[in-house]
Amino acid sequence: MSAIAAHVGSLSIAGEPAEFLEAEAVPMPAPDFTGTEFRIADPELRRLNPGAPVFVEVSPSGDADAWTPVDAFVDPLFGDVHLASAPGPSALVRVSGYALPVHPLALVRSISLTVTNDVVELQVMGDAYKRRSVSLRDFSGELTGLALTELEVEALAEGTPLLIEVGKASGAQVFRAWVKVPELSHKLTPGALYEHTMKFLGFAFQSEDGAAFAWGYGTP
C-alpha cells in the first residue's frame, strides 16, 4: 500500500477462515522460553478463528513420525502456543486449526483506544460485609483513515464481529482486536480525499477454558 503524507499506518480486516494442518511451532526466543512457550512458525497462520477448534501435537523425542495430542492454549491473535507441561529439549510441536487471512482496507492517520476496568459489588446473602470484584475489561476506540473503496467500507457496517489489524510497516508490531462497528462517518479533507472515521466496540470471544480475549499488541 503506497504511503500518503500524515498517514503512517494501515488497516486490514480478516477474510474467510482457511483450514491448515500440522503447521510447525517453534520455541519462543529467550528470555520468554521456559520450556512450554512455542509459536506457530508461519506468520500467515498466526491469526486463528476463535470459533474453531485448535489441535496441538507434540513429538517429545523429536521423531517426525511419532506425535501425541497434548493440552495447550493457543492465542488466536498472535499464534502463541502455551503447553500444559514442558515436552523436553528435543521436542517438536505442531498445530492444526483455521487461520484468518487479512486484506488491506485503508490508510490510517490516527487511532485511539479506551480500556475500562469496573469494580462491581457482589451481593452475598447473609453476609454483612461488602465484597467487590474487578469485572472484565471493556474497550472501545476510534480510527481515522482513508478507505480504499466504498464497497470495503460498507463491509464494516454489518455489525458482525470483525478482526482488525493496524500496523505501521512490514515486521513492526501491530494492534489486533475483535470489534463491532456501530458507527461510520466521513469528511472531505483539504486534499480532496474522503477520510472515514470508524468507531468500534470491543468484542470478546471466550475460549473453551473460560478465558476471554479481544485485543492485543505485539509482533506479527
Side-chain angles (χ1 to χ4, degrees):
M1 192 183 305
S2 59
I4 295 180
H7 291 78
V8 296
S10 61
L11 167 69
S12 299
I13 60 173
E16 293 297 319
E19 185 179 15
F20 66 91
L21 299 173
E22 302 173 357
E24 178 189 12
V26 295
M28 294 285 283
D32 296 327
F33 184 70
T34 63
T36 60
E37 299 84 7
F38 290 76
R39 196 179 203 199
I40 297 174
D42 186 348
E44 297 302 317
L45 304 179
R46 292 177 183 166
R47 309 173 203 87
L48 280 76
N49 179 7
V54 182
F55 192 57
V56 180
E57 297 173 289
V58 169
S59 172
S61 64
D63 184 349
D65 295 320
W67 296 93
T68 302
V70 295
D71 291 332
F73 170 73
V74 181
D75 174 12
L77 289 174
F78 289 94
D80 297 337
V81 181
H82 302 274
L83 303 179
S85 59
S90 301
L92 299 177
V93 178
R94 67 186 187 184
V95 181
S96 298
Y98 289 80
L100 292 170
V102 293
H103 310 289
L105 178 72
L107 294 171
V108 174
R109 179 169 60 82
S110 65
I111 181 172
S112 62
L113 180 67
T114 301
V115 180
T116 59
N117 231 11
D118 294 331
V119 176
V120 296
E121 184 175 314
L122 302 179
Q123 298 290 334
V124 180
M125 295 298 294
D127 192 340
Y129 295 94
K130 285 189 175 181
R131 302 176 185 270
R132 293 179 173 84
S133 176
V134 177
S135 68
L136 286 176
R137 287 187 174 182
D138 294 324
F139 78 93
S140 60
E142 183 174 296
L143 182 149
T144 299
L146 296 176
L148 299 181
T149 70
E150 290 297 324
L151 180 62
E152 289 170 325
V153 171
E154 291 174 2
L156 293 173
E158 296 178 356
T160 57
L162 180 72
L163 177 67
I164 64 171
E165 176 174 311
V166 181
K168 285 191 174 183
S170 178
Q173 288 192 323
V174 298
F175 170 76
R176 290 176 181 164
W178 281 97
V179 302
K180 286 187 175 181
V181 181
E183 183 178 340
L184 283 169
S185 60
H186 68 270
K187 65 179 180 179
L188 187 63
T189 68
L193 296 170
Y194 275 104
E195 273 196 341
H196 293 264
T197 295
M198 180 182 80
K199 293 184 178 180
F200 56 83
L201 300 174
F203 184 88
F205 279 93
Q206 193 168 30
S207 63
E208 294 182 357
D209 61 2
F213 50 88
W215 65 280
Y217 186 73
T219 304

